[in-house]
Amino acid sequence: MSLRAGSQSPGISRHHRVFLPILIALAWVALWAWARSPYGRYLEHGDWTASGPAAFLCRVIPAGDIVVPMALYTVAWILMIAAMMLPTTLPLFDVFDRLTAQRPDHGRLLMLLGLGYVTVWGAFGLVAHLLHSAMLILITSVPTLAWHGWLIGAAIIALAGAFQFSRLKYRCLEKCRTPLSFVIEHWRGYAQAWHAFALGAQHGLFCVGCCWALMLLMFAFGTGSLGWMLLLAAAMAIEKNVRWGQRLSKPLGVALLSWAVVLVATHA
């Protein structure tokens, strides 16, 4: 089915085009409410098991000290992905929406596309969480790191800045900036459910490939910082979706590297 054929029935999928922005807005509202609630510390990956409902659940659930923090982290991460990354991939959903508008399972295919995308980012989030937990253990066991925690933040900021100049960054960014070409290249149209999921997952891989370093900045800034979250989401959306977006990558890299140098110079 051609894109032209799918675009002849805009009324069929109009509600799907409204649903995704609503979902994104709800994710931001949920993060805002959570950050300002008595349990906002859970967003910061603090001591989830020290007090409050999480501590109670950790005691009553088998292996609760592992299961409960992972569950809270998963919910927080999914909300972050919905709020920060889904806006950057709206053009992909729009292209796929028009492509499949006349299929009877149109809504299900869009859901599977989103599920594939979120699954890849969820896997990245799990790896980031494990690395973050290992780093916290290392800081606890090495007093020098505890006294010089700013080094870790400076290293993450410098890594994100340097990655803005990498070839991998631009190869992945190019895939994200051309959703029509991406769908034409990867969408086969048969075994629709699996291929819709695979299409979302493949796009998610390229999205992770160009944005993983910027997302790691949330661990340096604090995952509960909605201001930094909004700023990074805007930068990634501009890089991917605005005509001149690629021009932002190198200046952003320079700014991050300069910030890291200032941090080192200030604390050295």
Side-chain angles (χ1 to χ4, degrees), residues 138-186:
L138 181 63
I139 290 175
T140 303
S141 59
V142 181
T144 303
L145 285 178
W147 283 100
H148 299 85
W150 60 270
L151 279 171
I152 298 175
I156 293 175
I157 293 171
L159 173 64
F163 186 71
Q164 291 295 106
F165 298 91
S166 70
R167 184 175 300 177
L168 176 61
K169 164 80 178 187
Y170 286 93
R171 289 181 60 185
C172 293
L173 182 59
E174 184 61 28
K175 292 288 185 180
C176 294
R177 286 179 56 84
T178 54
L180 177 58
S181 299
F182 186 87
V183 171
I184 291 175
E185 180 181 356
H186 292 90

Side-chain angles (χ1 to χ4, degrees), residues 28-102:
W28 279 107
V29 170
L31 286 169
W32 178 85
W34 190 350
R36 281 155 182 76
S37 75
Y39 313 113
R41 66 183 184 278
Y42 297 148
L43 275 177
E44 295 287 352
H45 296 183
D47 191 355
W48 288 327
T49 62
S51 62
F56 172 76
L57 291 175
C58 286
R59 291 193 299 268
V60 300
I61 295 177
D65 56 338
I66 298 176
V67 174
V68 174
M70 283 295 294
L72 287 170
Y73 171 79
T74 300
V75 173
W77 184 257
I78 289 175
L79 284 174
M80 284 179 58
I81 294 305
M84 297 179 66
M85 302 313 304
L86 284 184
T88 72
T89 195
L90 284 175
L92 174 73
F93 280 90
D94 182 63
V95 169
F96 191 74
D97 183 29
R98 291 185 284 119
L99 174 67
T100 60
Q102 293 183 342

